[in-house]
Amino acid sequence: MSASLFRKLAVAALAIPSTVLAIPAPTTFNRRVPGETASVNTRAAPIKILIGNDDGWAEANIRQLYTDAQRAGNDVVLSAGAKNGSGLSSLDIDYGKVSGAEYGSIPDGAPQAGFNQTDPRLNYFNGTPVAAMEYGFEELTKKFWGGAKPDIVLSGPNVGSNLGAVTLISGTVGVATYAAGQGVPAIAFSGGDKTTRAWTALQPGDISHLYSQFAMAITNQVISSTPFLPKGVSLNVNFPAASTNCSSASDFKYVFTTIYPLVPRIGCTASVGGSVTSISTPAEADVITSGACLVSISAMGSNKLDVDTATQTTVFNKLQPILSCADVKDHILSAIFPLSTLRRREDLEDGVPGAVEGTVNTL
């Protein structure tokens, strides 16, 4: 039975109205933050971006990314769950009428699908994260793009990291791999800060704004040329929690990583002081728990595992203009099953604080 037919039968059985609900927006909705600047998409045609997550449509992180992606001149639609669906992996389940929507953003008994009445591009679907993204593909693409698929899917930024084996149960990652399975390049973003907040709590310069800046920098590099990513490949990106030493976007470096240690991997060479140093690609958990100002970027297949070295090299070359090398020791067990509270700045080899400045090339 197709997912579309299953949904129709489920809706009919529950006697759910076919109409969608328009949700009023508070006066604080979608406000521009004074003093903010945004990168601008200079391509001939706007990029069609579909955004989802597993924390729900009313979470601060996804709303800020939606806003910044629009400001950059892209054609953006949001399709996310009515409630938090963290840890639901790739489950595709429809819940029916709304009950217990996060932050009271939707009244109980509302239809299964709806949108913000001020901005109809902000859409909810009452189901698992993947079901909400599927709704975006099956229904919202018809509404906004004449049935054309999105050019790219962005998932998140998640509240909390998705590293190592955690990717297997992550709804944020599930959304990205679902999109990649539909032939659309995708990026899953996750942040180390674990504070859940409604979009009405957004403040200038807060962690959601910082994470959105990272996400847009990576997205802009991915869409800078075609193909955006190899077929069936998505990115798993993790941002660390902010700290005193890592508080603004300029403090951070982007590092190409693998999801797991002990897998075939490439590396980079850093030219420092006239000498060339070869550095193997670190595992993403080792980078994020290093305590340094580093963002990890891993390439994953539809199975949520690392891609082969040839594909890693293709993705690395695409991202090369924004990448730095990171000389980080392997911690095999914790890289597979990361401990989010672990801090290992002292374990960075040779006292290098995370990123080695210089030219980055594949080995």
Side-chain angles (χ1 to χ4, degrees):
M1 181 183 297
S2 69
S4 178
L5 178 58
F6 178 85
R7 177 174 291 126
K8 290 177 181 178
L9 292 174
V11 170
L14 292 169
I16 306 239
S18 59
T19 56
V20 296
L21 179 68
I23 302 297
T27 56
T28 52
F29 163 72
N30 203 27
R31 61 174 178 263
R32 180 179 294 276
V33 177
E36 279 194 325
T37 58
S39 56
V40 177
N41 171 28
T42 58
R43 296 174 63 87
I47 299 297
K48 300 187 296 297
I49 300 178
L50 185 59
I51 300 182
N53 69 355
D54 74 0
D55 293 313
W57 82 312
E59 185 61 43
N61 283 355
I62 192 174
R63 291 296 182 95
Q64 189 58 49
L65 179 58
Y66 170 82
T67 297
D68 288 345
Q70 278 194 323
R71 290 179 187 170
N74 301 297
D75 187 355
V76 189
V77 175
L78 183 151
S79 183
K83 61 184 72 174
N84 191 310
S86 297
L88 294 178
S89 188
S90 295
L91 291 175
D92 185 355
I93 302 172
D94 301 349
Y95 296 149
K97 289 184 178 181
V98 175
S99 176
E102 66 176 353
Y103 309 122
S105 57
I106 310 165
D108 286 351
Q112 181 169 286
F115 57 90
N116 182 291
Q117 70 177 14
T118 302
D119 184 357
R121 288 173 173 264
L122 286 170
N123 292 265
Y124 76 80
F125 182 83
N126 194 31
T128 59
V130 165
M133 180 53 58
E134 183 179 42
Y135 173 75
F137 268 80
E138 294 185 352
E139 302 299 334
L140 298 181
T141 55
K142 298 174 186 176
K143 180 177 180 180
F144 295 104
W145 300 324
K149 289 183 178 181
D151 296 313
I152 191 168
V153 164
L154 306 181
S155 182
N158 188 66
V159 179
S161 301
N162 282 306
L163 302 162
V166 177
T167 58
L168 298 175
I169 63 171
S170 165
T172 300
V173 172
V175 166
T177 54
Y178 168 82
Q182 303 303 307
V184 176
I187 310 175
F189 298 108
S190 301
D193 186 272
K194 297 180 180 180
T195 305
T196 57
R197 298 177 302 135
W199 82 102
T200 52
L202 283 167
Q203 296 295 325
D206 66 13
I207 194 67
S208 296
H209 291 80
L210 183 64
Y211 286 167
S212 183
Q213 289 181 65
F214 296 153
M216 288 309 302
I218 295 169
T219 300
N220 286 338
Q221 183 58 41
V222 168
I223 66 175
S224 64
S225 62
T226 56
F228 293 168
L229 291 171
K231 185 177 180 180
V233 172
S234 53
L235 301 182
N236 187 46
V237 177
N238 278 272
F239 316 132
S243 65
T244 302
N245 295 324
C246 308
S247 58
S248 66
S250 60
D251 295 330
F252 290 83
K253 304 292 184 184
Y254 302 95
V255 179
F256 191 73
T257 56
T258 55
I259 299 172
Y260 294 96
L262 301 180
V263 296
R265 49 186 170 174
I266 60 173
C268 62
T269 57
S271 178
V272 183
S275 62
V276 177
T277 302
S278 296
I279 301 172
S280 181
T281 302
E284 58 189 15
D286 285 325
V287 166
I288 295 302
T289 60
S290 68
C293 306
L294 300 174
V295 172
S296 69
I297 307 176
S298 302
M300 62 184 170
S302 59
N303 56 4
K304 305 177 185 177
L305 302 176
D306 291 293
V307 297
D308 59 45
T309 54
T311 307
Q312 288 179 41
T313 299
T314 299
V315 175
F316 183 101
N317 289 338
K318 181 62 176 283
L319 299 173
Q320 184 173 346
I322 64 171
L323 293 177
S324 294
C325 293
D327 203 1
V328 182
K329 283 184 177 178
D330 284 337
H331 292 76
I332 296 171
L333 183 60
S334 60
I336 298 174
F337 300 102
L339 304 175
S340 60
T341 58
L342 196 57
R343 288 319 220 197
R344 291 198 294 265
R345 179 180 294 275
E346 69 277 10
D347 287 341
L348 291 174
E349 294 180 351
D350 303 323
V352 180
V356 179
E357 300 288 352
T359 305
V360 181
N361 298 294
T362 54
L363 292 176

